[in-house]
Amino acid sequence: MSGWMVLHWIHQFFGSNVDFMSATDLTRKATRAAAALRNTPPTGNPDRRLSAALWCAGVATFALMYAPQGLLTQIGHDASVSPAQASLLVSAATLGLALSVLPWARFSDRVGRPTAMRYAAATAGLLAVAVPWLPTFDALVAGRFVQGVALGGLPALAMTLLHEVAARARTAALAGSYVAATSLGGLSGRLLVVPVADHLGWRPALAILGVGLAILMAILIALLPAGRGRRAPVPSTGILAIHLRDTRLLALFGIGALLVGGMVAVFNYLPFRLEAAPYHLAPTVVSLIFLAYLAGTAGSRAAGWLVGRFGHRTVLVSACAFMAGGAMLSVAGPLVLILLGVAAITGGLFVGHAVASGMVAHAKTGRAQATALYNVSYYAGSSLFGWVGGIAWANGQWLYVAVLVLVLTVLALVLALLPSTTARRVVAVESC
């Protein structure tokens, strides 16, 4: 290209009233243009990257946490422990998670949510491969507790990161998508290990799953926003006290704990029922009951739409009613009715959880602490009532387990009906 053509192009680009530009002026102009390009946001949708990261977090966390649930009958037989003792492999992980979410939230206030989540993902990925090889049952329970502590940095921070990074108009949809990923993770972890365990044993099955989940954790680390992320001012301990005096938040904490406790009790002990008389189902066939998690996946994705159409209270009450109906239906003898009951319990849990956790995440002060307290109650309920279900099973088999689930869901329904549970919180959600 000749010099005159370059001058003509510059003339056309910078305007007709510019007849000549020195090399210095042109360099200055180009420098400013390059700086503007560097400061221009990427043309891609950052919400898609965040959504993919949260999907990895949801799938990996819940697959790892609940994978032993499909193997409790085999582990109980192999380790010569009772069903209630075998369930400690699930309860230990959820208890570790419940106890760690507040420290993770405080740590994330100092270093940023993405950095804290990277530490949690890296540690959990390593433990996923190592824990299945611990030699004794007591060591396995301890290892699962440590696993839960590591995992606590993911669900404790995922919702907070979402509300800090995503566009406000997209938070409800992304929150529902994340909860759907948790249901898919819970399904895949339980479903995949059982057929592998039938051929190789339950330890290799958990280890193989652990390798896959470690890869997911590595992808999560790569997808999280670059850098340390936004560091929030470290709140005083007084914020926790404020949250614990807020009756609206306390009701939502209670709803999460009661609903998840009922569902975990169902999945802990239903395999013991179906592998015994009169069903005598093989473990691989019994593991198919976890396909009921698909109802949870669909329900959590639909939760945002349902709230927009019917309101928070109506959706919460309906979720509790679905679970209560499912608990009663599960007492029936025909296998198809049992499966319908389990699907209703699972769908109700995930709809209720998506709504309640989303409302808690909109706390106006100490959002990470409010979300952490919800997670504490949610996983403490999972740990406690999952174990209490074993006492019910030992005393009255499935009938007592179903009664326990019914009582828990009725209590949650009462909390959802309290006038203070949703009235003012709805305003907070809509104002964001």
Side-chain angles (χ1 to χ4, degrees):
M1 183 181 292
S2 68
W4 286 109
M5 291 179 66
V6 172
L7 288 176
H8 174 73
W9 179 86
I10 293 172
H11 175 80
Q12 295 295 322
F13 183 76
F14 290 103
S16 58
N17 57 350
V18 177
D19 295 320
F20 178 80
M21 181 172 288
S22 69
T24 302
D25 292 334
L26 183 59
T27 302
R28 188 182 301 115
K29 193 79 172 179
T31 303
R32 285 198 298 266
L37 284 174
R38 283 195 300 270
N39 294 326
T40 300
T43 56
N45 186 351
D47 284 351
R48 290 185 179 179
R49 185 183 180 96
L50 177 63
S51 179
L54 294 182
W55 261 81
C56 289
V59 170
T61 299
F62 284 80
L64 182 56
M65 187 163 19
Y66 289 113
Q69 199 170 45
L71 303 171
L72 291 183
T73 55
Q74 298 179 48
I75 295 173
H77 182 269
D78 187 46
S80 300
V81 297
S82 69
Q85 289 174 301
S87 72
L88 290 176
L89 290 178
V90 178
S91 293
T94 54
L95 178 62
L97 193 151
L99 295 177
S100 69
V101 291
L102 283 175
W104 276 114
R106 194 166 184 82
F107 179 63
S108 74
D109 286 332
R110 296 182 181 276
V111 304
R113 318 294 181 212
T115 299
M117 291 180 72
R118 288 189 189 97
Y119 281 122
T123 306
L126 292 174
L127 290 171
V129 180
V131 167
W133 302 111
L134 295 175
T136 66
F137 181 78
D138 290 341
L140 277 170
V141 172
R144 289 282 295 166
F145 176 82
V146 176
Q147 235 174 23
V149 171
L151 288 172
L154 298 178
L157 305 176
M159 284 291 187
T160 305
L161 177 68
L162 187 157
H163 284 85
E164 288 179 350
V165 174
R168 291 183 177 180
R170 291 275 297 153
T171 54
L174 289 173
S177 177
Y178 168 71
V179 175
T182 68
S183 69
L184 187 62
L187 167 64
S188 59
R190 293 166 167 103
L191 197 60
L192 296 177
V193 294
V194 177
V196 178
D198 284 344
H199 292 87
L200 302 178
W202 58 269
R203 289 182 187 274
L206 290 175
I208 291 170
L209 178 70
V211 171
L213 298 183
I215 294 172
L216 268 184
M217 293 295 187
I219 296 172
L220 166 64
I221 291 171
L223 288 175
L224 284 169
R228 294 166 63 88
R230 191 177 81 183
R231 288 181 289 173
V234 178
S236 68
T237 55
I239 288 182
L240 294 178
I242 292 171
H243 290 331
L244 291 173
R245 290 195 299 267
D246 188 330
T247 57
R248 302 183 306 280
L249 287 177
L250 289 176
L252 293 169
F253 297 161
I255 289 170
L258 293 165
L259 295 185
V260 73
M263 192 199 71
V264 170
V266 167
F267 282 110
N268 274 358
Y269 303 104
L270 187 58
F272 290 95
R273 178 190 183 189
L274 297 182
E275 290 182 24
Y279 305 102
H280 295 295
L281 298 180
T284 302
V285 176
V286 172
S287 70
L288 296 178
I289 65 169
F290 297 123
L291 289 173
Y293 258 65
L294 295 175
T297 304
S300 55
R301 292 299 297 269
W305 178 85
L306 291 171
V307 167
R309 187 172 180 85
F310 301 107
H312 292 77
R313 179 179 297 174
T314 299
V315 177
L316 280 175
V317 170
S318 299
C320 297
F322 260 86
M323 285 195 68
M328 291 187 287
L329 194 59
S330 71
V331 179
L335 188 59
V336 65
L337 295 182
I338 295 173
L339 297 178
L340 287 174
V342 172
I345 290 169
T346 309
L349 175 276
F350 278 99
V351 170
H353 172 47
V355 175
S357 62
M359 293 167 69
V360 169
H362 281 87
K364 291 184 176 180
T365 58
R367 178 177 293 167
Q369 283 65 36
T371 304
L373 285 172
Y374 177 84
N375 279 284
V376 168
S377 60
Y378 185 79
Y379 294 108
S382 171
S383 181
L384 174 62
F385 296 120
W387 174 75
V388 169
I391 299 175
W393 172 263
N395 286 277
Q397 302 291 294
W398 185 254
L399 176 61
Y400 279 29
V401 174
V403 169
L404 171 66
V405 176
L406 180 61
V407 170
L408 295 177
T409 52
V410 169
L411 290 174
L413 190 149
V414 171
L415 291 177
L417 286 172
L418 291 177
S420 62
T421 301
T422 55
R424 290 170 60 189
R425 185 62 55 187
V426 172
V427 175
V429 172
E430 292 176 346
S431 65
C432 290

